[in-house]
Amino acid sequence: QVQLVESGGGLVQPGGSLRLSCAASGITLNSIYVIGWYRQAPGKQRELVAVITVGGSTNYADSVKGRFTISRDTAKNTVYLEMNSLKAEDTAVYSCNARVGSRQFWGQGTQVTVSS
């Protein structure tokens, strides 16, 4: 079965960097139409952070453009989110999401806290 497992979250100071990983199993990245990251902060709805398609196209939320980079490693069947110049408002639970045809899969999420 398809599973997504996130890792790499933690506490980081404002201006710092962090890399999140989303390891997929039960499916190859090349068969996933679109995979990426969403986040949900306390009291707010879940929002798109960044996604990458099977063709390599990317899309980012305006709030993270220029700071975050989504990438993939097909050999490791893993998607990454490089987060730089982190701000307090980036604090949220980050979840990996994959769309396969009409189906969607979610990881359990990893907490990112940006605080001094």
Side-chain angles (χ1 to χ4, degrees):
Q1 59 183 351
V2 176
Q3 290 188 352
L4 303 174
V5 180
E6 304 98 332
S7 62
L11 175 65
V12 64
Q13 294 184 348
S17 300
L18 205 61
R19 186 181 76 164
L20 305 183
S21 299
C22 173
S25 62
I27 193 170
T28 62
L29 294 186
N30 287 338
S31 64
I32 300 175
Y33 296 162
V34 59
I35 188 169
W37 296 91
Y38 290 73
R39 69 185 182 188
Q40 187 166 25
K44 297 183 178 181
Q45 67 180 42
R46 186 160 54 196
E47 64 175 342
L48 169 73
V49 178
V51 296
I52 187 167
T53 70
V54 66
S57 298
T58 59
N59 189 36
Y60 297 90
D62 288 341
S63 60
V64 307
K65 287 181 179 178
R67 299 190 298 120
F68 291 10
T69 302
I70 188 169
S71 62
R72 63 187 180 184
D73 186 333
T74 56
K76 295 182 178 179
N77 220 38
T78 300
V79 173
Y80 303 96
L81 183 67
E82 294 282 351
M83 303 184 295
N84 300 310
S85 301
L86 284 162
K87 306 174 181 179
E89 49 263 46
D90 294 319
T91 296
V93 174
Y94 286 71
S95 300
C96 186
N97 171 268
R99 186 172 184 86
V100 184
S102 62
R103 303 174 66 187
Q104 284 195 94
F105 302 92
W106 290 92
Q108 292 298 307
T110 185
Q111 176 71 47
V112 173
T113 302
V114 184
S115 176
S116 59

